[in-house]
Amino acid sequence: MRVLIKQDIKNLFSNPVTILFCSIYPLALTLLFGFLFSSQYGEMVSSYDFYGIAMMYYIVLAASTITPITFMEKRLQKGNERIAYAPVSKVQIYGSKLLATYLFTAGFFILDILVLQGIHLVSFGSGVYFWLVLLLYLVLLFFTISFGGAICTIIQNQDLTNKIIGAVLNTLAIFSGIFFPISNLGTWADSISNAIPLKWLLNTIFQIIYDQSIQGYLGIVVITMLLGGICVGIIHKKYKVIS
Amino acid sequence: METLLEVKNLSKSYGNNLAVNNLSFDVYTGEILGLLGPNGAGKSTTITILSGLLSYNSGEIYFLGKDVRKNSKQVKANLGIVPQDIAFYEEISAYQNVKFFASLYGLTGNTLEERVKEALEFVGLEERKNEKPKTYSGGMKRRLNIACAIAHHPKLLILDEPTVGIDPQSRNRILDAIQTLRNQGTTVIYTTHYMEEIEQIADRVVIMDKGQKIAEGTIEELLEDYNNINLYCITLEKPIEDFLYLYDIPGVRQITTDKVKKRIKIETDKKADNLNKILSKLLEKGNQIQDMTTEKGNLEMVFLDLTGKKLRD
């Protein structure tokens, strides 16, 4: 299993797009949106604070597009198929891919958060609340990685999976106000925004950081883990090493 | 001879299409078994089932007497698979590829290093081991495909059309390598639709068509009926309209022509010694002979006799 995980991580490191997506992209988005909307935020909570938290949240959600790359990127597909000839189980094969994707993305995301927090550009909370926020990001990442895997094992096509996930995610992200205050568009937009669970989760993160409130935290963690587990179950049922 | 693999009444269907139909054959330790058949004969499906990657509807497969369904992991550890398609990572070096795949079979440390070196030397890639396979020629990629399958010293090596689309030099190199492996004790199943390759390297042959075994035996056994036959291939200047008079010559068994009726194949009893009579008769009837060759019996003829079609139809 260790050999498989090592190779899957190496494969992720051989893809410049995934590296840029996980390392530079969250920082660049934070700087860009923070700068563009700087006039709309005060000093207590700066635009960099808001967009740092929101963009990390968006990137964690968008990490669901990394799993299809690990599972069935064209340049890796043939090598992945040969693994099936070896005396390793199906669980070891997809388990390694899930774990490798998780370790790869989580490593970069933790680094991004530490950098943003370390240079005092973004506050992800202080003391225990910082760790609770970090844990929530990591639990959510478990779900998004598993979700990406489940969708690609159902669709059996990396490009199509990522197009679908990308389109759905970006639409939901826009309407939940991750990129800009959606309420500016009117009350109808606000109503839609409030109905999207992505917004509830983002609000929970803000509540932990600024209100130091952990109301509903455990429930969110448990439900997210359960949903992630269901996705792993779908992968187990649908995963085919040889297409 | 010890039986390494037993396939009994194997059947596999995709919907209504029966890809493998009640197939039975044995593979003996230390032999090269050629699995010969046209495209769509069921060879690759059979190989994929033997590789443990495809379930089957009915039948039994035993590897060293053990049911492969119940001992999948143990069986896989003793198999080396060379699939029809190139199956390795193009972005890491040949050395890293062989090392990674060999390590999946539990090889570690010095043994792993030695086996990787040995496999790369064996296929002639040692000098270019640090290059990425994406820079390799088609033939080199095929050889690396083999190296990835042999580094763990499998008891049974299964090759599925490993010479498709490569130059004759690489093809010969691969065929030589397979014979060397057999001489070193590896048992080999070699599938192809090139009968020349089977004639060159196989100890025994299973001929398949439409998912079924239609013949099995050593090449000598399969060609036994053809040892007493001469096949004359005569090319004429103009199309021949009538050739039935040739059947009056003692020993003539069968006559076929090509579509334009300029090339005529005459199958005769060897003992009849009737070539002079055939040529005289053709000339006598006003035909002009352009060219003539004599063919020996081959597997193509066996296949044609059994199925009424050519291997590459």
Side-chain angles (χ1 to χ4, degrees), chain A residues 211-230:
Chain A
D211 303 336
Q212 302 193 331
S213 158
I214 53 166
Q215 197 187 355
Y217 183 87
L218 191 64
I220 288 172
V221 169
V222 171
I223 290 169
T224 311
M225 293 285 281
L226 271 174
L227 290 173
I230 291 169

Side-chain angles (χ1 to χ4, degrees), chain B residues 107-116 151:
Chain B
L107 298 178
T108 53
N110 286 341
T111 314
L112 176 63
E113 294 291 339
E114 280 164 22
R115 295 282 183 86
V116 174

Side-chain angles (χ1 to χ4, degrees), chain B residues 232-251:
Chain B
Y232 302 124
C233 301
I234 301 168
T235 308
L236 303 167
E237 198 105 310
K238 289 178 184 169
I240 186 166
E241 291 306 323
D242 176 27
F243 50 80
L244 293 178
Y245 54 81
L246 291 172
Y247 279 111
D248 296 338
I249 300 169

Side-chain angles (χ1 to χ4, degrees), chain A residues 3-4 7-8 10-11 14 75-89 92 97 241-242, chain B residues 51 53 73 76-77 81-83 85-92 96 100-101 103-105 145-146 148-149:
Chain A
V3 179
L4 284 172
Q7 186 57 45
D8 283 327
K10 270 187 197 171
N11 290 339
S14 71
R75 69 188 177 95
L76 303 176
Q77 212 165 0
K78 291 297 163 193
N80 285 343
E81 284 187 8
R82 184 179 276 284
I83 296 170
Y85 298 130
V88 291
S89 68
Q92 283 176 307
K97 296 196 181 308
V241 190
I242 300 284
Chain B
S51 311
L53 300 186
K73 211 168 174 178
K76 275 183 168 184
I81 312 290
V82 181
D85 293 326
I86 298 299
F88 47 70
Y89 296 115
E90 298 260 359
E91 301 287 335
I92 58 172
Q96 285 175 312
F100 167 64
F101 290 115
S103 67
L104 296 178
Y105 292 81
N145 214 21
I146 294 174
C148 290

Side-chain angles (χ1 to χ4, degrees), chain B residues 180-200:
Chain B
T180 308
L181 282 169
R182 186 264 320 269
N183 296 340
Q184 289 170 354
T186 308
T187 307
V188 177
I189 297 179
Y190 188 93
T191 84
T192 184
H193 60 273
Y194 297 129
M195 61 104 189
E196 311 85 13
E197 293 185 354
I198 292 288
E199 286 177 342
Q200 193 176 332

